[in-house]
Amino acid sequence: MRFDTVLMVDWSGGNDRGAKPVKDAIWVCRATGGVAEKPVYLRNRQVAEDWIVQTLSKLQAQGQRVLVGFDLCFAYPTGFATQLIGSEDTLALWDWFAARVTDSPQSNNRFDLAGEINAQFPGVGPFWFNGLQRDITHLPRKGTDRKDHGLPEKRAADIAIPGSFSPWQLAGAGAVGGQVIMGLPMLARLRQRFAGSLKVWPFEAPDAQIVLAETYFSTLPDLVTADAHPIRDAAQVAVYARAFSNMAPDVLADMMDVRPAPEGWVLGAGQVDTLHAALAPAPPPLRNDCFAMPQGAHWTPVDAALAHLKSHLRCVTGTQDCAIGEAAGRFLAQDAVAQRAHPPAPNSAVDGYGFAGPAAEGLNRYSLMADRSAAGAPFGGAVRKGHAIRILTGANLPKGVNTVVLQEDVQADAEAISFYGPLKKGANARDAGEDMQAGQVILTAGRKITPADVGMLAAAGIGRVTVRNRLRVGVLSTGDELRDPGDTASDGDIYDANRPMLAALFDQSGYHIIDLGRAPDDRTVLRDMLDHAATRCDVIITSGGASAGDEDHMSALLENTGSLALWRIAMKPGRPLAMGLWEGTPVFGLPGNPVAAMVCALIFASPALRVMAGGGWSAPQRNMLPAAFTKSKKDGRREYLRARITDGRVEVFPSEGSGRISGLSWATGLVELSDPAQTIHEGDLVPFLPFKSFDT
Ligand code: AMP
Ligand code: MG
């Protein structure tokens, strides 16, 4: 059950609360991958509904899956809907309310409507607490005035949550009844507006792009602290958005696996521990000076720049618990310890006959027992000396057996087997724990889990592991000349190649890509885009505008933060890299030129991102292969040539023009020519760095 974005909404039954953020108003918060954005204050229901519709439309257009949690009862206790609309169809009840509730920022009809509803029930009630001065027929002021209306006070889910209120109480401290009447019409309209791509859990299967669910924001009182936000309602939406967006997909799927009932259910009701676990804290942010390199008149050698990244960066992602089936491609956050030995007991490596070895040279004969030992059906008895037992691959060795003879080497009849020796003691048998011992660390933290690792973890009895949250990598292009492929473009325009290319590169590394779009060469717009990006990315990769010219706004903005490090690296292709932190989020400002952008992304960003994602530093493979080219280069800079292997020799792309993006596609890796001056002749060994080896 994977959602890209989680939206949490704290609803309200009151009137407009004014322009200044206050408590008991509507608050919403979005989160991705365990990190919440700043909670948003919405002064009244009309503004809030617009905001929700617009946000969902935007996320829908981006193809995101969204979970929207409302702290709002989605249903009433059993029997209510039947009396009112003739069936327990909760979603139809929403439409019933939508047709009857009138609402505006200053007034609404909730008390009168509650009175009209009460009139349709026997006795007095179920609704109570008239919050108005004037009396309303059928709406008692006190809960104790109610009688014989025939409905339960609470739903099953409310009973499971200590301290929750009944939806019949319309007003008074803590009451929820008012906001339910004023919320169901909004939910009904969302269903209509997003019909076809929205479902309501648990009344419908949560398999749509947008899923609405009822939540309850007072389950974690100890975690809703003022450091999330000084206003408690705001802190609540932030904490819950963080928790649900950080929850492993299988954990959330389990949480949503409830029987659909007309009363619905509250997501996470009674599962305090699961919510707590999803809130494991993220490590502290990077230091503001992490990219600051001693800058002199000289160009920085590639190795010095890499050494700086290696020593100044560290992991920035929190952790989550996940099933091993979800773990491939993720970084392990805690060592994995074998839960039991593999194999757990001595067993046979072949189909054959087991006995107590060794067997002497020449003809050996053993009496054959009538029993057999098979995988999953081991023989529980003992095999006496001079006897053999039929045994199959993977079957535990019975007591008295330490050696197995291959069935192909044996003459067997009902009474005995015979074969020619010698056969060493222990032949064709596996020792207990010969592969892995119980308690042994079989994978260490930082490992990127491979499909084979998943198999090994399973064999060692490990069903769940703690992994790093996916690194959220924002990708942004800058430049007035850029257009999206497919747009109409004049000769002066350039199609944005870097953004889809860099997004694909880092997507392949297993990161969560956030498309930040294109920024014009306009400092104010770029600043706003970076502000928004910093709230939802762990790292921002930009291209273009990184030098020190008039239109190099990326470096100029980073300069203003005081964290800019303009790296002038002695390499070709390359222009300066603009490194820095924006609101604490690291920014890699790559050159605009696509070839330079790709090479710098591979050489610098790739190992840096791996460290931030919780893996170790990794260097690409350097395979020494004979050159199929000749080339002279000058002293003092490293050169990377687009290259591929043909017939065991390394060819380079005929043009070194750094605008030739087709050469990147032609190539399968880079040739790296070290810093000193040199001449390469055909047949000289040169290091070839496969693209695939940059992040493994
Ligand atoms: P800049 O670093 O912004 O001066 O850009 C250097 C060169 O790269 C210019 O010719 C730009 O048009 C080109 N360029 C910048 N960004 C992109 C991009 N996203 N896709 C393709 N070309 C780009
Ligand atoms: Mg530019």
Side-chain angles (χ1 to χ4, degrees):
M1 193 61 57
R2 191 188 299 286
F3 291 97
D4 303 297
T5 294
V6 168
L7 211 61
M8 285 289 152
V9 182
D10 195 3
W11 198 244
S12 160
N15 289 337
D16 186 274
R17 303 283 294 157
K20 195 170 148 267
V22 288
K23 69 184 179 92
D24 296 333
I26 300 173
W27 284 91
V28 297
C29 186
R30 318 168 23 152
T32 43
V35 180
E37 296 182 15
K38 237 170 76 181
V40 177
Y41 166 74
L42 299 164
R43 57 186 292 173
N44 63 48
R45 283 184 293 280
Q46 288 70 33
V47 171
E49 191 170 330
D50 279 355
W51 189 94
I52 294 169
V53 167
Q54 274 177 32
T55 304
L56 288 179
S57 306
K58 228 182 284 170
L59 293 170
Q60 187 187 31
Q62 292 169 1
Q64 295 209 31
R65 278 205 82 208
V66 191
L67 171 66
V68 196
F70 289 89
D71 193 354
L72 175 69
C73 305
F74 278 15
Y76 287 98
T78 306
F80 176 73
T82 303
Q83 179 80 12
L84 212 55
I85 63 166
S87 89
E88 287 293 276
D89 182 344
T90 307
L91 301 178
L93 184 68
W94 290 9
D95 294 332
W96 188 94
F97 273 96
R100 284 160 184 83
V101 170
T102 57
D103 196 9
S104 79
Q106 299 311 336
S107 67
N108 61 70
N109 67 344
R110 68 181 191 271
F111 294 110
D112 290 300
L113 182 60
E116 288 163 29
I117 295 172
N118 276 358
Q120 303 194 34
F121 286 80
V124 182
F127 286 110
W128 66 283
F129 206 129
N130 175 5
L132 304 179
Q133 296 279 316
R134 64 180 162 86
D135 284 332
I136 292 175
T137 343
H138 300 296
L139 185 62
R141 293 201 180 263
K142 288 205 214 125
T144 47
D145 291 343
R146 295 175 303 158
K147 58 172 198 271
D148 305 330
H149 56 74
L151 292 175
E153 202 47 28
K154 287 185 173 187
R155 303 171 299 164
D158 302 323
I159 294 165
I161 301 174
S164 68
F165 274 67
S166 158
W168 305 135
Q169 184 184 341
L170 295 180
V176 298
Q179 59 166 329
V180 178
I181 296 182
M182 301 317 296
L184 299 183
M186 173 271 305
L187 295 174
R189 285 189 292 271
L190 288 182
R191 281 193 75 219
Q192 261 169 25
R193 172 69 179 68
F194 296 99
S197 39
L198 180 151
K199 294 217 178 144
V200 184
W201 176 88
F203 311 105
E204 303 171 297
D207 54 10
Q209 196 182 353
I210 300 169
V211 174
L212 310 188
E214 178 182 343
T215 47
Y216 180 71
F217 288 164
S218 302
T219 308
L220 302 174
D222 49 327
L223 286 178
V224 179
T225 52
D227 45 292
H229 197 284
I231 296 176
R232 193 177 166 80
D233 308 75
Q236 279 182 335
V237 285
V239 166
Y240 279 80
R242 194 147 72 74
F244 280 103
S245 73
N246 195 36
M247 208 171 275
D250 60 313
V251 173
L252 189 54
D254 276 355
M255 205 178 244
M256 290 191 137
D257 186 17
V258 302
R259 220 151 41 88
E263 282 192 341
W265 193 252
V266 176
L267 191 59
Q271 293 182 270
V272 180
D273 290 347
T274 312
L275 289 167
H276 265 264
L279 283 165
L286 295 173
R287 288 167 50 107
N288 215 33
D289 60 357
C290 65
F291 294 119
M293 262 201 299
Q295 284 173 10
H298 292 293
W299 292 74
T300 306
V302 171
D303 289 339
L306 290 174
H308 184 92
L309 288 175
K310 188 174 174 182
S311 63
H312 286 74
L313 293 178
R314 40 176 189 65
C315 174
V316 298
T317 53
T319 61
Q320 62 175 214
D321 181 72
C322 85
I324 57 169
E326 303 268 353
R330 309 289 297 268
F331 290 107
L332 200 58
Q334 278 170 15
D335 292 354
V337 175
Q339 293 303 293
R340 70 168 195 178
H342 183 259
N347 70 21
S348 176
V350 297
D351 290 342
Y353 297 87
F355 58 94
E361 182 149 11
L363 189 65
N364 291 272
R365 193 170 185 285
Y366 291 85
S367 307
L368 184 59
M369 295 175 65
D371 309 279
R372 63 166 216 166
S373 190
F379 174 60
V383 175
R384 274 178 295 128
K385 213 164 166 1
H387 286 67
I389 186 170
R390 177 76 173 132
I391 192 163
L392 301 179
T393 307
N396 288 352
L397 300 185
K399 223 190 204 146
V401 172
N402 57 24
T403 306
V404 180
V405 59
L406 217 59
Q407 67 184 20
E408 290 86 336
D409 296 343
V410 168
Q411 279 283 343
D413 58 35
E415 267 85 56
I417 62 161
S418 45
F419 61 90
Y420 284 96
L423 200 59
K424 275 197 241 150
K425 178 175 162 186
N428 299 317
R430 304 167 178 147
D431 290 338
E434 70 172 26
D435 188 22
M436 295 179 272
Q437 302 277 341
Q440 183 189 341
V441 172
I442 54 171
L443 289 174
T444 51
R447 167 87 172 187
K448 191 176 207 175
I449 298 171
T450 66
D453 292 345
V454 172
M456 175 174 72
L457 290 164
I462 300 171
R464 304 188 67 82
V465 284
T466 306
V467 296
R468 291 280 161 197
N469 294 336
R470 268 178 220 283
L471 188 74
R472 297 165 309 157
V473 180
V475 182
L476 177 78
S477 288
T478 71
D480 281 339
E481 75 279 27
L482 299 182
R483 298 288 176 273
D484 283 340
D487 287 357
T488 48
S490 71
D491 282 355
D493 300 332
I494 297 288
Y495 287 122
D496 180 0
N498 292 349
R499 189 158 51 104
M501 175 176 74
L502 296 170
L505 176 70
F506 295 122
D507 180 69
Q508 246 176 27
S509 299
Y511 305 136
H512 177 74
I513 303 300
I514 298 174
D515 184 352
L516 300 176
R518 285 188 277 114
D521 287 319
D522 177 318
R523 220 160 278 190
T524 314
V525 176
L526 181 57
R527 182 186 297 121
D528 286 348
M529 292 177 83
L530 289 172
D531 279 346
H532 184 49
T535 65
R536 58 200 175 116
C537 303
D538 297 311
V539 56
I540 301 169
I541 307 281
T542 73
S543 66
S547 300
D550 298 348
E551 298 294 344
D552 288 318
H553 302 286
M554 186 57 65
S555 34
L557 282 171
L558 286 172
E559 176 90 72
N560 292 342
T561 69
S563 70
L564 172 74
L566 203 58
W567 285 13
R568 303 196 323 144
I569 302 191
M571 71 183 264
K572 185 184 169 195
R575 289 258 298 276
L577 296 181
M579 317 285 276
L581 278 102
W582 192 267
E583 299 284 334
T585 302
V587 179
F588 283 73
L590 305 177
N593 184 301
V595 176
M598 183 61 147
V599 171
C600 291
L602 289 166
I603 303 290
F604 300 108
S606 195
L609 263 49
R610 196 175 199 279
V611 171
M612 290 192 280
W617 182 265
S618 81
Q621 281 171 17
R622 288 182 163 76
N623 301 323
M624 298 306 289
L625 292 167
F629 61 93
T630 322
K631 164 158 178 92
S632 288
K633 73 172 279 292
K634 62 179 194 184
D635 184 35
R637 72 175 187 202
R638 185 156 308 179
E639 294 193 13
Y640 291 98
L641 310 176
R642 283 151 280 174
R644 68 183 186 193
I645 303 169
T646 308
D647 299 331
R649 302 197 317 160
V650 183
E651 288 189 88
V652 293
F653 191 60
S655 160
E656 286 185 28
S658 63
R660 302 275 294 262
I661 197 169
S662 67
L664 279 176
S665 169
W666 172 94
T668 58
L670 299 172
V671 156
E672 182 182 57
L673 301 180
S674 58
D675 302 2
Q678 57 194 284
T679 301
I680 309 290
H681 301 285
E682 271 191 46
D684 289 352
L685 293 182
V686 289
F688 174 77
L689 287 51
F691 287 143
K692 278 200 191 115
S693 76
F694 274 89
D695 183 31
T696 42

